Amino acid sequence: MSSPATSVLADDVEIVRRILAHIDAGTTDEGEAWREPVENYLSPGRFAAELRMLRAMPSVFVPSASIPGPGDHVARTAFGVPLFAVRGRDRRARGFRNACRHRGFALVEGAGCSNALVCRYHGWTYRLDGSLSHVPHAEAFPGLDASARGLVEVESREVDGLVVIGALEAVDEGARARALAALAALADGTPWRDKLVPAQRLVHVDSTVRAMNWKVLVEQFLEGYHIRSTHKDTFFPVQYDDLNVVETFGPNSRITFPYRNIERLRDRPEATWTTDARATYVYQLFPNVMIATFPDLVLVIAIDPVDVDHSAVVVYSMVRGDRAPSEPPRDPAGAGGFITRGAVEDNEMSAGVQHGLRAGANEFVEFGKHESAIGHFHATLDERLARMAGATAS
């Protein structure tokens, strides 16, 4: 857990002020427009460069709520690398490469809880700290040094409700130094702490492979310009079209999607203003993880590139730890599937974009001044790719 610090993002009162001003003026936050070459979504060479860069930098792995107690473990393939996280008896969360040190069998499959990690293939057994504790018929392995054959740990730390991993592939000392600096930038959870940490109980996990480039999927979370046309019967009756507050912190962004009920605060003292149940926040934690807040529900969404045309999407749904287990998460629009229906609509749009990228109609994808968080994402990606290419060339 990081130490308390002052958030670089606006507090609730300032967010409400900005939203009400936009409502009155018919405006939204604006930033730089961006044009992204279509080739950057379609080129296998570009995808390979992105994957190398992604493996060379830290990222969010899983929410802490996915491994709440000792022995809890969960697997995920990050940037093509099979990994898992486990909480030890010392309550520390650790990340490991998901391979037995005997024949490489994937040690953890999905999620579970156990006192030790036992390979299903031949029974090699590891303690929760990754050390090798038992080899059946050990006499068959002359010279085996158990102390040197523990699981391969990846650098990790737990930051205000998230397990963050370090670089999975550092090509040189310079790359490692850059990765450590980037890991430090994720080590302060002040921007998301108040929204995520109370959501201590995992209620659902969904994992899907989608036929879309990973960047197309990231983009769908980062603007509200599409609310009226895409979500006319779901989000639009509850939220505003093309009205967002956009903030950046380092390579990351936070986009505020206000609900119409925020106007009820106009006649109340500012000291009582809160965005709880009056806005959805989307935190884009570069490069590939989103935290999305809803009334009584928080989602952590990880988008993993599989190949240039496919991505794996894992959605972790969490509720406050003080909520009764039998009490379902509240839906802003009433019973059943509001958030799910909105996600289906977003994914339909992303699938259409992916299809259209190959039509040959456009040389670039156009993002306007009201979609500036997407421009920030692409500018950061380009800068990281250029830095890696320059380091490799020197």
Side-chain angles (χ1 to χ4, degrees):
M1 180 73 70
S2 62
S3 58
T6 302
S7 177
V8 297
L9 302 181
D11 63 16
D12 280 11
V13 171
E14 178 59 25
I15 289 293
V16 174
R17 286 193 194 120
R18 291 171 65 173
I19 290 167
L20 294 179
H22 280 317
I23 292 170
D24 293 340
T27 56
T28 188
D29 276 13
E30 294 188 348
E32 296 295 323
W34 183 270
R35 289 179 170 181
E36 182 69 9
V38 167
E39 182 66 12
N40 285 353
Y41 299 91
L42 304 179
S43 164
R46 164 77 180 214
F47 176 82
E50 290 173 352
L51 201 58
R52 286 194 299 271
M53 183 275 293
L54 294 171
R55 289 173 177 169
M57 63 175 296
S59 63
V60 174
F61 185 54
V62 292
S64 298
S66 65
I67 50 170
D72 288 327
H73 49 267
V74 61
R76 191 186 121 219
T77 297
F79 313 132
V81 181
L83 305 172
F84 74 89
V86 60
R87 192 169 299 281
R89 299 185 191 283
D90 57 2
R91 304 201 67 84
R92 178 184 160 194
R94 295 175 175 85
F96 295 96
R97 295 179 184 265
N98 194 5
C100 177
R101 299 304 305 281
H102 172 216
R103 296 269 291 276
F105 187 84
L107 194 64
V108 171
E109 299 168 86
C113 183
S114 57
N115 292 320
L117 303 167
V118 183
C119 180
R120 287 200 300 117
Y121 199 177
H122 296 92
W124 283 39
T125 302
Y126 304 85
R127 300 178 185 90
L128 298 181
D129 64 3
S131 58
L132 180 62
S133 64
H134 175 65
V135 175
H137 304 291
E139 70 278 2
F141 298 91
L144 175 67
D145 180 1
S147 67
R149 295 296 290 277
L151 298 174
V152 177
E153 189 169 357
V154 298
E155 188 171 14
S156 65
R157 62 185 69 181
E158 196 164 12
V159 182
D160 291 310
L162 297 173
V163 178
V164 176
I165 57 172
L168 300 174
E169 181 179 299
V171 294
D172 55 34
E173 285 304 311
R176 176 164 176 77
R178 291 190 297 273
L180 288 172
L183 181 60
L186 275 177
D188 177 14
T190 306
W192 65 82
R193 177 187 302 141
D194 292 345
K195 309 300 180 185
L196 178 60
V197 169
Q200 298 174 353
R201 184 158 61 84
L202 185 72
V203 293
H204 185 68
V205 179
D206 179 74
S207 182
T208 309
V209 175
R210 300 197 177 278
M212 305 168 205
N213 183 275
W214 73 281
K215 300 187 296 293
V216 172
L217 282 163
V218 169
E219 290 162 0
Q220 76 178 21
F221 292 92
L222 304 185
E223 48 88 7
Y225 177 49
H226 69 289
I227 297 294
R228 182 195 300 267
S229 55
T230 298
H231 303 298
K232 63 181 180 179
D233 297 319
T234 50
F235 295 160
F236 180 57
V238 178
Q239 296 178 315
Y240 296 89
D241 180 57
D242 197 25
L243 195 168
N244 300 105
V245 173
V246 178
E247 303 166 276
T248 61
F249 52 110
N252 313 306
S253 298
R254 184 176 78 168
I255 303 90
T256 306
F257 296 81
Y259 302 165
R260 295 178 187 273
N261 65 6
I262 203 164
E263 295 201 56
R264 297 175 189 170
L265 298 178
R266 287 184 184 274
D267 299 324
R268 301 180 187 179
E270 283 195 3
T272 68
W273 284 2
T274 175
T275 58
D276 289 349
R278 300 188 190 280
T280 281
Y281 290 107
V282 173
Y283 297 80
Q284 195 257 323
L285 302 183
F286 190 85
N288 67 320
V289 168
M290 266 63 61
I291 302 171
T293 69
F294 297 91
D296 301 334
L297 186 69
V298 177
L299 308 180
V300 173
I301 304 112
I303 299 171
D304 281 305
V306 175
D307 58 38
V308 71
D309 291 320
H310 294 86
S311 305
V313 182
V314 185
V315 181
Y316 303 89
S317 300
M318 294 160 292
V319 297
R320 293 181 63 96
D322 57 5
R323 177 174 291 277
S326 60
E327 185 180 357
R330 186 175 59 199
D331 217 356
F338 170 75
I339 298 169
T340 299
R341 295 199 315 273
V344 168
E345 292 164 347
D346 278 329
N347 287 323
E348 287 176 351
M349 297 304 109
S350 293
V353 168
Q354 184 72 29
H355 187 69
L357 289 171
R358 295 194 178 277
N362 301 307
E363 293 183 2
F364 52 82
V365 179
E366 186 89 59
F367 299 105
K369 294 167 67 176
H370 297 184
E371 303 165 282
S372 62
I374 299 177
H376 179 68
F377 163 69
H378 282 292
T380 302
L381 186 61
D382 284 357
E383 186 270 333
R384 298 287 173 90
L385 287 167
R387 188 188 301 172
M388 173 164 277
T392 302
S394 61

